[in-house]
Amino acid sequence: MRSLWMLVAGFMFAGMGVFVKLGASYFTSIELVFYRSLLGVFVTYLAIRHYDLALTTMHWKVHCWRGLAGLSGMLLLFYCITQLPLATAISLNYTWPLFLALFSTLILKEQLHWSLIAAITLGFLGVILLLQPTLQADHWLTGLVGLASGFFAAIAYIKVKQLSNLGESNWCIVFYFTLICALVTGTWLLLTRFSPVTLHSMLLLLGMGATATLGQLALTQAYRTGKILVVGALGYSTVLFASLLGMLIWNEILPLLAWSGMGLIVLGGFLSGYLSHRIVSVAGRG
């Protein structure tokens, strides 16, 4: 039952996507990332003070790489959400486990098994099917942007794993990530312009920040108390919730080919995570 916190996280992250899509009428993707990150800095700083954790770090270089990779992924995801059906954008971003499985062999030197190759191939076959309706709608480039968001997210997760191995706390990792995002996007906006904030648009920003923060807290609770494989599988509930919300709010009815592609992405991603976990467990016992 504790793993079901991941369902809460999935719904919250899909809700964040809704607020991003609604907020695109008032703000650019850079502004949305800035406000999302600014709230994240505030919340994580309060948590660090509450738990009396240290803010000092000796691993600035790794934090910077994690921050820049995560920022790139978030910017591309937010842009993709504003241009494509919500479920399509979320599904393309959720290719990150496929890229992560590849990076684990290239960067972390973990062994690549044929079963893992098959799972990765299955997932990317799903990407091709998902992008077929997108290609027909002349949104091919935007689809590749969504795929790139998954690529950068995988790099960010690699850096998170490195930081965890170096002894950095979860709150510290999230704090520096949101701080880097806020500083980079805030500097860019100071050199360009901020869009005016109205009462309605401010409520959308608060909704985006609240759902993102609650999703992160539920995600943390799920991984802390639940079974990792069950949590990983339930993480794909974000795709389902995004599909349902997209249909309810914008009447985004996807063709059968797109649904098939989404299913293969979810299956390939889950199998990649499952097989990677099994391979690491067997290697550890050996």
Side-chain angles (χ1 to χ4, degrees):
M1 291 296 291
R2 293 174 179 177
S3 299
L4 294 181
W5 276 106
M6 198 62 200
L7 289 178
V8 178
F11 181 77
M12 289 299 167
F13 287 137
M16 183 196 73
V18 169
F19 284 111
V20 168
K21 203 170 183 69
L22 293 173
S25 300
Y26 302 92
F27 306 103
T28 65
S29 298
I30 294 178
E31 288 176 304
L32 291 171
V33 171
F34 170 72
Y35 289 118
R36 157 73 181 90
S37 303
L38 193 63
L39 182 63
V41 171
F42 178 72
V43 171
T44 52
Y45 179 78
L46 291 180
I48 287 171
R49 286 294 175 231
H50 174 74
Y51 293 112
D52 196 27
L53 301 174
L55 268 176
T56 56
T57 180
M58 300 292 292
H59 310 293
W60 283 104
K61 185 176 180 180
V62 186
H63 276 292
C64 286
W65 279 113
R66 185 270 186 270
L68 293 175
L71 172 60
S72 299
M74 195 187 308
L75 283 170
L76 295 175
L77 171 61
F78 279 25
Y79 172 76
C80 196
I81 287 174
T82 64
Q83 302 296 317
L84 294 175
L86 183 61
T88 301
I90 296 295
S91 297
L92 289 172
N93 179 255
Y94 266 67
T95 57
W96 67 261
L98 306 176
F99 288 113
L100 186 61
L102 289 174
F103 294 159
S104 295
T105 63
L106 298 176
I107 299 175
L108 301 181
K109 307 300 182 183
E110 294 179 359
Q111 187 175 1
L112 184 62
H113 290 236
W114 284 108
S115 56
L116 191 56
I117 294 175
I120 294 170
T121 303
L122 186 68
F124 281 112
L125 177 62
V127 172
I128 295 173
L129 292 178
L130 180 61
L131 286 180
Q132 286 300 312
T134 302
L135 175 61
Q136 294 171 9
D138 295 327
H139 287 155
W140 177 259
L141 184 60
T142 309
L144 292 180
V145 168
L147 190 61
S149 74
F151 174 85
F152 283 109
I155 295 176
Y157 279 109
I158 287 285
K159 295 302 176 184
V160 167
K161 185 173 182 178
Q162 290 178 351
L163 287 166
S164 297
N165 292 339
L166 290 170
E168 298 286 82
S169 69
N170 291 338
W171 284 111
C172 184
I173 294 172
V174 175
F175 173 78
Y176 283 113
F177 165 60
T178 54
L179 179 63
I180 290 170
C181 290
L183 289 176
V184 173
T185 54
T187 301
W188 175 265
L189 291 170
L190 285 174
L191 296 175
T192 54
R193 70 179 184 88
F194 282 89
S195 300
V197 179
T198 65
L199 176 61
H200 180 66
S201 63
M202 182 175 67
L203 291 176
L204 293 177
L205 291 176
L206 290 175
M208 177 184 67
T211 49
T213 303
L214 291 173
Q216 192 64 52
L217 291 173
L219 175 71
T220 304
Q221 182 67 13
Y223 273 107
R224 180 178 298 168
T225 61
K227 296 181 179 179
I228 189 167
L229 292 178
V230 177
V231 170
L234 292 178
Y236 285 97
S237 64
T238 305
V239 175
L240 174 61
F241 288 129
S243 304
L244 296 176
L245 291 172
M247 286 189 289
L248 288 173
I249 300 173
W250 293 284
N251 196 31
E252 295 176 343
I253 307 299
L254 298 176
L256 180 60
L257 192 64
W259 279 101
S260 301
M262 289 165 55
L264 288 178
I265 290 173
V266 170
L267 181 60
F270 171 70
L271 288 177
S272 296
Y274 172 77
L275 291 170
S276 296
H277 178 77
R278 291 279 297 177
I279 290 168
V280 171
S281 297
V282 171
R285 288 197 298 269

